[in-house]
Amino acid sequence: MIRFEPRGPSSVSRMLGVSIAAAVAALVLAAIPMAFAGLSVFEAYSLMAKGAFGSLFAFTEMLTRATPLILTGLAAAVAFRAKLWNIGAEGQLYAGALAAVAVGTGVISAPPYLLIPMVIVAGALAGGLVMLGPTLLKTRLGVDEVVTTLLLNFIILLFVQMMLEGPMKDPMGMGWPQSEPILDEAALPKLMDRMRIHWGLVIALVSSLGVYFLLKRTVWGFEIRAVGENAAAARHAGIPVTATFIRVGLLSGALAGLAGVGEVAGLKGYLTADLSPGFGYSGIVVAMLAGLSPAGVVLAALFIASIFVGADSMSRATGVSNYVADLIVAMALLCVLVSGLFLRFKIRFVGSQTNPEAAE
């Protein structure tokens, strides 16, 4: 007979070991279908590593891909810490990008030191307001936020498409559904010449430090962790549970909105309906792989970004579909979920014992 016994609080080293083991297991499991496809596994992974780290350009491309993943990973991590299940980072990212374009395409004329902060604040505010609705529905009416945030992703994307086909369509875009380009005064500066890496990475790293400080060193962070552990007990202890959920929702949405700002103001320069290849959903994998740790989110985002960038390079070299990256990410999520079971419980095998009374 198998019996599950709860473990005590997990140490940081144990959680880190579980995350590393999950990443390694995902790579091992993904190697099986790659081998059946006739691809040398060692060659494939060496090409992926070269594609992500083999040159300065490859490394900066990996960091550029990691930038939105850090922010959406933080958005998921801070929400999940309070057991506010935000599945809507993808929609919040698009809302932030839409707000950044609305402010940064000439509506307001200002020098860069004023316009760039305005674009950043507009994007963060838009993402936070999108998440505010599901949070209020959860706290006031008990509506499941998983459903509302997930469905809002599609609603916001359709709204963005409507805006790009209508009032925000670039008249010089030759009919393509895209916004007008961001002004140079509103664009995030590049970190390196002739590279795509931009100051959005700095914003993401500073956000990670800020979230870490908030959770570990402030009263609000204590309230977030307390509500996440047991909302009823936190309410009994006098913690404002509803206000805590609202603060967490605003912060989570704002972080996802910043990811959208970085993509339009730092990387692409304009908004299209295919701006994100699923950064909001991948951010959930990043947060889970990181154990909801802000510092771990950075490392997990670098891992996931290296998989995506490396898979693109490997695909060009071998002709194998780059969807292998999605396979590895999905395997990583499954491995994290399974490893979480072993992190929370001890598994004991208990031999069956004969009941003496039944034997008589």
Side-chain angles (χ1 to χ4, degrees), residues 52-133:
F53 304 101
S55 65
L56 178 61
F57 174 77
F59 184 66
T60 57
E61 282 296 296
M62 186 272 293
L63 292 178
T64 302
R65 183 68 70 93
T67 298
L69 291 174
I70 293 173
L71 290 165
T72 55
L74 289 172
V78 72
F80 291 1
R81 274 293 185 96
K83 287 190 169 56
L84 180 65
W85 309 112
N86 179 14
I87 315 297
E90 185 79 358
Q92 293 146 24
L93 180 151
Y94 272 100
L98 190 67
V101 167
V103 174
T105 52
V107 175
I108 300 174
S109 179
Y113 64 85
L114 290 178
L115 193 54
I116 290 176
M118 291 170 65
V119 167
I120 292 173
V121 170
L125 187 61
L129 290 176
V130 168
M131 185 57 194
L132 180 61

Side-chain angles (χ1 to χ4, degrees), residues 1-5 346-353:
M1 183 175 65
I2 299 176
R3 186 171 65 192
F4 293 89
E5 297 181 356
K346 296 178 182 178
I347 300 178
R348 294 193 181 277
F349 295 91
V350 182
S352 59
Q353 297 179 352

Side-chain angles (χ1 to χ4, degrees), residues 15-27:
M15 294 178 65
L16 178 62
V18 166
S19 296
I20 294 174
V24 172
L27 293 174

